[in-house]
Amino acid sequence: MKLTRGKITELVNEPGCEHNSKEGQSNKKACKQQAQPGAAQGGCAFDGASIALVPITDAAHLVHGPIACSGNSWGSRGSLSSGPVTYKTGFTTDLSENDIIFGGEKRLYKAIAQIVKNHQPAAVFVYSTCVTALIGDDLDAVCQAAAKKYGTPIIPVHAAGFVGSKNLGNRLAGEALLDHVVGTAEPEYTTPFDINLIGEYNIAGEMWNVLPLFEKVGIRVLAKITGDARYQEVCQAHRAKLNVMICSKALINMARKMEEQYDIPFIEESFYGIDDMNRCLRNIAEKFGDAELKQRVEKLIASENAALDQKLAPYRARLGGKRVVLYTGGVKSWSIISAAKDLGIDVVATSTKKSTEEDKARIKKLLGKDGITIEKGSPQELLKVIEQTGADLLIAGGRNQYTALKARIPFLDINQERHHAYAGYEGMIEMAKELEEALYSPIWQQVRCSAPWEVGIGEPIAGNREQGTGNSDQEIANSEKELIGTVVPVAEPIAEIGGV
């Protein structure tokens, strides 16, 4: 796949995306994906491509560019593996100034040869970066020559960072899989209920909460794209009977094109929350249209829900009525609302960042008329919403924890850096546990108290100055003198440290 302006335009205007296919609109609205100069927040196309492909655990992932491109992004997501760990090693060609001047193709070929010789990966994914795209290194030619020489699949991934956003990089990764991987091998056997999971990355091992549920009812996951995946299973993904999309925006182009090329229908589902997990199982069974499968699904749902009600009862008693602000992106912006409602928690505001039009419609329905949607969640905006809603907790990505600390409210990490699995029925118990521990930690009672040296000082004066009560400067000065003269007694003498 050559990365051309036409290819980028095609992916940005992906017809499978809700932004571009709203019925009744003569002038379709394209996804706002092109990065603005100087605005790199949220990740670049290279970052998005590596996020989508690195969870293929038995493959090597080689970044063709300066070492910073690899070092700044590797290991930032908690995608776990049940077997091979080749994907955990960060490989880079580490281009120098001389390579940039004279070209880096020879260095790339040598790097591929070294990886194949020393690590014997199932495949090697080679990622272009801004530098190598600008100097014109021919990734396709080098990868083709290396694959022929060593007999190992070498897949070029054309996703230079400057071409667009992280989401565009996800789609470019999907194009690489469609062009070079999917359909290149056949499974040993197939079943009537083979599915692919697309856009699920096994963050914190979440997929391991869901796979046993499918196994119990007789649904086989033929390929995971790409959480805890093996290269061979992705090659065989074209033989599935149904694609189940977990993240609606990440790889929608892949699901749509597999429907066109291989006649595999796709549906979008969520694994977060009891209702969503129930709906997911029922919708899959409905798509297959098998009466016995539907019976097995209903039996499993009844059994799991009964057990879950008992386990969640104590958590619901302590979490019921708590108010939460949710700031995340994509499918989680609405699916986590459903999970919170299952626990009796009231989500008073959520973000619409990276959400499709369908996501936004679901958000409005779940929040109700009084709910607040956050388009751009700067720290100032989040603090304003927290104060306005009287929220008890902020659920967001790791970088927002400092905003929660400023607001003196608990925080729960929901994004890719987290270490707890919240998907499926078991994930609901884990989420309830983490929410309770965060909300009822004794630290919050302490941090909300005034410091000893602030007792009786500052608040009356600050109030007079801010509210403009008409007090004269002399009156304020006299008040300050009185307060400065106030001594806060110390109950115990300060202990000597180190004999001083």
Side-chain angles (χ1 to χ4, degrees):
M1 178 196 73
K2 292 291 184 181
L3 187 59
T4 63
R5 183 181 295 274
K7 173 58 72 173
I8 294 172
T9 302
E10 174 195 330
L11 293 174
V12 169
N13 293 279
E14 165 59 43
C17 179
E18 287 294 328
H19 285 156
N20 305 315
S21 61
K22 285 198 74 177
E23 295 180 1
Q25 287 187 353
S26 56
N27 184 19
K28 293 179 180 179
K29 176 185 176 184
C31 291
K32 303 294 185 181
Q33 304 237 22
Q34 294 298 336
Q36 298 299 316
Q41 184 177 5
C44 63
F46 159 72
D47 189 31
S50 64
I51 283 171
L53 296 176
V54 164
I56 301 176
T57 60
D58 57 353
H61 300 269
L62 172 61
V63 178
H64 184 39
I67 195 168
C69 290
S70 178
N72 289 343
S73 61
W74 217 261
S76 62
R77 292 175 70 88
S79 300
L80 301 185
S81 171
S82 59
V85 291
T86 307
Y87 77 116
K88 283 291 186 182
T89 302
F91 299 100
T92 177
T93 50
D94 186 18
L95 294 188
S96 65
E97 291 179 356
N98 282 342
D99 298 314
I100 295 171
I101 295 169
F102 298 108
E105 292 177 2
K106 290 183 179 179
R107 193 178 186 92
L108 173 59
Y109 189 90
K110 290 180 179 178
I112 294 171
Q114 183 179 351
I115 290 170
V116 172
K117 179 181 177 181
N118 295 337
H119 299 273
Q120 296 87 43
V124 180
F125 287 88
V126 180
Y127 301 81
S128 66
T129 57
C130 294
V131 171
T132 50
L134 287 170
I135 65 177
D137 280 357
D138 192 341
L139 244 67
D140 292 295
V142 175
C143 291
Q144 187 176 1
K148 185 176 180 180
K149 170 74 173 178
Y150 299 106
T152 298
I154 313 294
I155 297 95
V157 183
H158 295 278
F162 60 73
V163 303
S165 67
K166 180 166 65 175
N167 182 243
L168 179 59
N170 295 152
R171 295 182 183 181
L172 288 167
E175 293 294 308
L177 292 178
L178 288 170
D179 290 344
H180 301 284
V181 183
V182 175
T184 59
E186 295 293 334
E188 293 182 3
Y189 67 95
T190 61
T191 76
F193 308 123
D194 285 347
I195 67 171
N196 296 324
L197 298 180
I198 299 181
E200 165 53 55
Y201 304 117
N202 199 36
I203 302 299
E206 285 192 331
M207 195 167 55
W208 299 333
N209 288 347
V210 178
L211 291 180
L213 301 175
F214 291 137
E215 291 175 4
K216 287 179 181 178
V217 297
I219 296 172
R220 183 175 76 148
V221 177
L222 182 63
K224 289 95 64 183
I225 304 176
T226 55
D228 193 20
R230 309 295 183 265
Y231 178 78
Q232 187 69 15
E233 70 182 72
V234 182
C235 296
Q236 303 167 358
H238 64 298
R239 293 306 182 196
K241 308 299 189 300
L242 178 69
N243 280 330
V244 180
M245 290 285 301
I246 305 304
C247 183
S248 59
K249 288 187 70 178
L251 292 169
I252 182 64
N253 60 312
M254 190 172 184
R256 181 184 63 81
K257 290 184 177 181
M258 287 182 74
E259 183 172 32
E260 292 177 355
Q261 296 175 22
Y262 304 110
D263 198 26
I264 305 174
F266 69 90
I267 58 175
E268 182 189 353
E269 300 298 335
S270 166
F271 295 153
Y272 297 107
I274 302 171
D275 288 342
D276 283 2
M277 192 66 238
N278 294 346
R279 187 182 305 110
C280 173
L281 292 169
R282 286 178 174 136
N283 287 347
I284 293 173
E286 185 65 32
K287 273 291 182 179
F288 283 120
D290 184 86
E292 292 185 2
L293 177 61
K294 291 179 182 179
Q295 290 178 0
R296 293 196 296 270
V297 164
E298 291 301 329
K299 185 177 179 180
L300 175 67
I301 289 174
S303 173
E304 293 288 340
N305 284 204
L308 204 56
D309 284 340
Q310 291 184 350
K311 294 177 181 178
L312 290 179
Y315 294 110
R316 284 170 171 158
R318 289 171 63 81
L319 297 175
K322 297 297 182 182
R323 300 166 67 83
V324 166
V325 170
L326 174 64
Y327 186 70
T328 182
V331 69
K332 291 197 295 293
S333 59
W334 58 266
S335 59
I336 298 299
I337 300 177
S338 177
K341 286 182 175 294
D342 289 336
L343 297 171
I345 294 173
D346 184 16
V347 178
V348 293
T350 188
S351 66
T352 55
K353 181 179 68 171
K354 304 177 186 176
S355 299
T356 66
E357 296 301 320
E358 186 178 355
D359 290 338
K360 292 177 182 178
R362 288 172 173 170
I363 288 169
K364 290 179 181 178
K365 183 178 179 181
L366 288 167
L367 283 184
K369 62 179 181 179
D370 296 326
I372 299 172
T373 56
I374 308 168
E375 191 69 38
K376 295 182 179 179
S378 64
Q380 293 89 343
E381 180 68 19
L382 285 177
L383 288 170
K384 180 181 177 181
V385 171
I386 289 169
E387 182 179 3
Q388 178 183 344
T389 59
D392 300 298
L393 179 132
L394 173 65
I395 301 177
R399 61 172 173 249
N400 298 111
Q401 62 181 307
Y402 307 106
T403 303
L405 291 175
K406 288 180 181 178
R408 298 183 181 184
I409 65 170
F411 169 80
L412 186 69
D413 189 356
I414 197 64
N415 279 5
Q416 63 266 16
E417 303 90 355
R418 67 182 183 273
H419 300 285
H420 301 279
Y422 300 142
Y425 300 121
E426 289 296 322
M428 277 298 300
I429 300 171
E430 183 65 27
M431 180 182 287
K433 177 184 175 184
E434 293 299 317
L435 285 168
E436 185 199 34
E437 290 180 353
L439 280 165
Y440 287 95
S441 171
I443 190 65
W444 301 112
Q445 185 178 357
Q446 298 176 36
V447 299
R448 289 166 186 160
C449 294
S450 298
W453 56 86
E454 293 176 339
V455 175
I457 301 177
E459 291 183 2
I461 298 173
N464 288 337
R465 287 175 174 169
E466 290 175 3
Q467 298 169 17
T469 58
N471 289 357
S472 65
D473 291 341
Q474 185 60 45
E475 288 174 332
I476 294 174
N478 293 337
S479 299
E480 286 178 339
K481 287 180 181 179
E482 292 177 6
L483 291 170
I484 291 170
T486 303
V487 178
V488 179
V490 179
E492 298 292 340
I494 300 174
E496 293 185 356
I497 302 175
V500 178

